[in-house]
Amino acid sequence: MVKKKASARRPRRAHNPAFKARVALAALREDRTMAELCEQFEVHPNQIADWKGRLLERAAEVFGSGAPPEPVNLAPLHAKIGALTLENDFLESALTKAGLLSAKP
């Protein structure tokens, strides 16, 4: 009976997004050959090409292709500032009349 040789395939790995980005950016720089990148990162060339392509496709999303933020309504904030200023002025005058607040420098 002939025994089959165990497969030399490596088990499936799950790479995190930071690793994928690092590999894709290294591929974009083109300062190394694909073979050198495969050896350095221990990833198949097709995988590197796929990650590079996805990075190029979605690069515009990084710079905010979404809708602009909605403007903030400042009217309630200005009203609150006015109310707090009025309250502070009232308390300052009341405490000064009662002699509990020293003169301002």
Side-chain angles (χ1 to χ4, degrees):
M1 185 170 164
V2 179
K3 287 188 175 183
K4 288 188 179 182
K5 202 174 184 183
S7 175
R9 288 184 58 184
R10 168 182 301 180
R12 195 172 188 99
R13 295 181 292 174
H15 299 288
N16 63 9
F19 177 77
K20 292 177 184 180
R22 193 169 65 237
V23 173
L25 288 172
L28 279 176
R29 277 194 291 270
E30 296 181 351
D31 58 346
R32 295 182 179 193
T33 65
M34 184 64 78
E36 290 172 336
L37 292 174
C38 294
E39 185 178 331
Q40 177 185 353
F41 295 109
E42 298 179 354
V43 178
H44 194 273
N46 291 344
Q47 191 66 67
I48 294 176
D50 180 50
W51 291 342
K52 179 181 173 184
R54 282 199 275 169
L55 177 66
L56 289 173
E57 283 175 6
R58 302 183 66 195
E61 293 176 16
V62 173
F63 297 105
S65 62
E70 294 183 22
V72 177
N73 185 4
L74 296 178
L77 297 175
H78 288 294
K80 185 67 173 177
I81 291 170
L84 291 173
T85 303
L86 184 64
E87 185 178 325
N88 283 341
D89 290 344
F90 172 77
L91 290 174
E92 180 183 8
S93 65
L95 290 174
T96 303
K97 287 179 184 175
L100 299 174
L101 186 66
S102 61
K104 290 185 179 178

